Every structure is written in structure tokens, then in C-alpha cells.
């Protein structure tokens, strides 16, 4: 099974761990503790667009607190996919998300990485529209300009969560298969010149002694 490394980045308390737990365990904890360092989980995804293909995400959920920021490169290095999360009720968290986008593009390069911008806690706006502080159009326009995937979700209700990982899975798989096809096309064909040697009949120890 193809495995892909996925990293979650974003400000503290935006709901990174909650998104991962909703995806991996289909559960939600109202009182989740802040992550220390990073947490690792894995989950498989059966791709809807590619019949009979199941991929595995190895997920690194990083800690959003400023004091852990220097650890992040360890987790996004060699990643195939990144979810950059903000909270739709906290405009500062979008600014932080944008700085992660910049850092990834600078350090990793978006050719190598599928990036998805995710606005979380949508349920809060649905309960009371006045708490929304980041307009969907603004975030979506930014995502389009930066060539990022984009979703608004709720880890609490589960709305939109499976869709993120389905779409990310398809993108990383398509990238991988396109890369493999391109490298196969550019590889020179190797001709094997195998000379068959007849074993000498009077040397019974020649091959295994
Ligand atoms: N209403 C609502 N609350 C959420 C949602 N997602 C997370 N929360 C709450 O927000 C708080 C922070 O969630 P976490 O998942 O720990 O956030 P985090 O981004 O992993 O935080 P760090 O580990 O500090 O980086 C918790 O109290 C969650 O219950 C959501 O979709 N809706």
C-alpha cells in the first residue's frame, strides 16, 4: 500500500488534533489538551476516483504553541501533504496560517507538497453567524491565489472532514503516479547482456564450494 506523510500546522487551539481524531477515530473531545511536541497517527483512505486504490496517511499533528515552532521543520520535511488549519472565529489564526504557507513554499516548495487550507469550527458560525471573523470568500480567494486546496469544516460535527482527506489522498496519489510515469519515460532502456556459461562437467564443486 502506498504511504504518504501528512503534516498538520496552525496556531494553537484551532483544532488540529480534533480534526485528526475525527478522521482517525470518528470522535470529538470538547476538552482536548494542547499537544506537546507532536503526535503521530495513521489512517487509510480508499480513493473514490481511483477504483481499488487504498492509500495510507502517516499523520504528524504538530503542536501549535509558539515554544514548539522550531520543531516543525522536522515534521514537514519530506511531507507529501500539509493541512494548514485556522479557526473561522479567530482572524489572527488565518494570518498565522498564511505564514505557514509562506514557510512551506520557501522551505519545501509547492511542487513537492499538496497543501490544503482548512477553516475549522464552522459549527460555531452555524449556531451564531455573528461569531464568524474570517469570511469564506476572503480565505477562498487567498487559497486560489496560492494554488491551495481549501475547505471549511467542523471537527465537532464532522462536517467536511472526510472530504479533506479524500481530496488530499487523490492529489498525492495522482502526483505520485505522474512522477513515476515521467521517470519511467526518461529512463534509458537497459539491455542486459547475459552470457550463459556452461558449467564444466568435471568440476563438481565449482558453484557452491
Ligand atoms: N466548537 C468547536 N470546537 C472545536 C472544534 N475543533 C476543536 N475544537 C475545540 O478547540 C479546542 C482546541 O482543539 P485542539 O484540537 O486541541 O486544537 P489544536 O490546534 O490541536 O491545539 P494545539 O495542540 O495547542 O496546537 C478544544 O477545546 C476543542 O474541543 C470544532 O470544530 N468546533
Amino acid at each position: 500500500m502506498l504511504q504518504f506523510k501528512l503534516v498538520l500546522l496552525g496556531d494553537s487551539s484551532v483544532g488540529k488534533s480534533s480534526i485528526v481524531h475525527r478522521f482517525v477515530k470518528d470522535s470529538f473531545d470538547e476538552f482536548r489538551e494542547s499537544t506537546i511536541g507532536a503526535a503521530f497517527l495513521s489512517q487509510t483512505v480508499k480513493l473514490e476516483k481511483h477504483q481499488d486504490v487504498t492509500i495510507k496517511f502517516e499523520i504528524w499533528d504538530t503542536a501549535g504553541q509558539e515554544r514548539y515552532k522550531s520543531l516543525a521543520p522536522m515534521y514537514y520535511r519530506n511531507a507529501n501533504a500539509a493541512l494548514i488549519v485556522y479557526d473561522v472565529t479567530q482572524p489572527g489564526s488565518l494570518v498565522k496560517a498564511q505564514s505557514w504557507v509562506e514557510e512551506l513554499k520557501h522551505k519545501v516548495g509547492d511542487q513537492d507538497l499538496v497543501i490544503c487550507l482548512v477553516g475549522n469550527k464552522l459549527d460555531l458560525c452555524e449556531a451564531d453567524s455573528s461569531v464568524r471573523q474570517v469570511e469564506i470568500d476572503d480565505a477562498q480567494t487567498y487559497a486560489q491565489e496560492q494554488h491551495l486546496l481549501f475547505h471549511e469544516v467542523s471537527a465537532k460535527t464532522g462536517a467536511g472532514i472526510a472530504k479533506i482527506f479524500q481530496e488530499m489522498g487523490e492529489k498525492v496519489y495522482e502526483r505520485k503516479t505522474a512522477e513515476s510515469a515521467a521517470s519511467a519515460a526518461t529512463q534509458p532502456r537497459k539491455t542486459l547482456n547475459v552470457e550463459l556459461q556452461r558449467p564444466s562437467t568435471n568440476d563438481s564443486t565449482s558453484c557452491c564450494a
Side-chain angles (χ1 to χ4, degrees), residues 6 23 28 62 88 91 104 120 124-125 129 136 142 186 195:
L6 182 150
F23 172 56
F28 177 76
T62 65
V88 292
L104 288 186
N120 188 35
L124 295 176
C125 309
S129 62
I136 186 167
Y142 169 76
T186 53
E195 243 181 65

Side-chain angles (χ1 to χ4, degrees), residues 12-13 15-18 29-30 34-35 64 120-121 123 155-156:
S12 183
S13 297
K16 298 179 295 299
S17 305
S18 301
D29 182 354
E30 202 74 58
S34 200
T35 306
N120 188 35
K121 307 199 185 178
D123 58 288
K156 184 171 181 173

Side-chain angles (χ1 to χ4, degrees), residues 38-202:
F40 176 81
L41 288 99
S42 66
Q43 177 64 299
T44 57
V45 182
K46 193 168 183 331
L47 302 183
E48 288 163 5
K49 263 173 64 180
H50 302 276
Q51 258 190 348
D52 302 328
V53 178
T54 299
I55 59 139
K56 185 174 184 184
F57 274 127
E58 303 202 310
I59 304 169
W60 286 99
D61 170 22
T62 65
Q65 288 179 38
E66 199 56 35
R67 64 184 135 142
Y68 298 114
K69 193 175 183 308
S70 61
L71 299 178
M74 219 159 67
Y75 301 108
Y76 65 62
R77 195 172 300 136
N78 304 321
N80 303 100
L83 285 193
I84 303 186
V85 185
Y86 69 93
D87 174 346
V88 292
T89 71
Q90 301 292 334
S93 69
L94 178 62
V95 175
K96 183 80 185 183
Q98 289 168 331
S99 74
W100 280 118
V101 172
E102 291 304 311
E103 179 162 340
L104 288 186
K105 289 198 167 191
H106 183 64
K107 298 267 176 64
V108 184
D110 51 352
Q111 295 299 313
D112 303 326
L113 193 60
V114 176
I115 306 176
C116 183
L117 180 68
V118 177
N120 188 35
K121 307 199 185 178
L122 190 56
D123 58 288
L124 295 176
C125 309
E126 284 164 353
D128 171 6
S129 62
S130 69
V131 301
R132 181 187 274 278
Q133 296 292 317
V134 179
E135 292 306 322
I136 186 167
D137 288 350
D138 295 343
Q140 198 154 30
T141 303
Y142 169 76
Q144 273 166 2
E145 284 166 4
Q146 300 291 322
H147 310 288
L148 315 175
L149 301 175
F150 171 72
H151 287 283
E152 277 195 346
V153 302
S154 166
K156 184 171 181 173
T157 65
I161 301 292
K163 184 127 191 269
I164 307 174
F165 291 91
Q166 182 62 230
E167 202 174 85
M168 299 286 275
E170 279 163 3
K171 290 275 179 219
V172 292
Y173 174 73
E174 283 160 11
R175 243 179 221 205
K176 178 86 190 164
T177 47
E179 259 169 35
S180 308
S183 74
T186 53
Q187 288 265 303
R189 257 183 208 207
K190 283 185 190 146
T191 326
L192 278 180
N193 286 323
V194 181
E195 243 181 65
L196 289 175
Q197 283 184 342
R198 195 184 288 237
S200 141
T201 46
N202 57 6

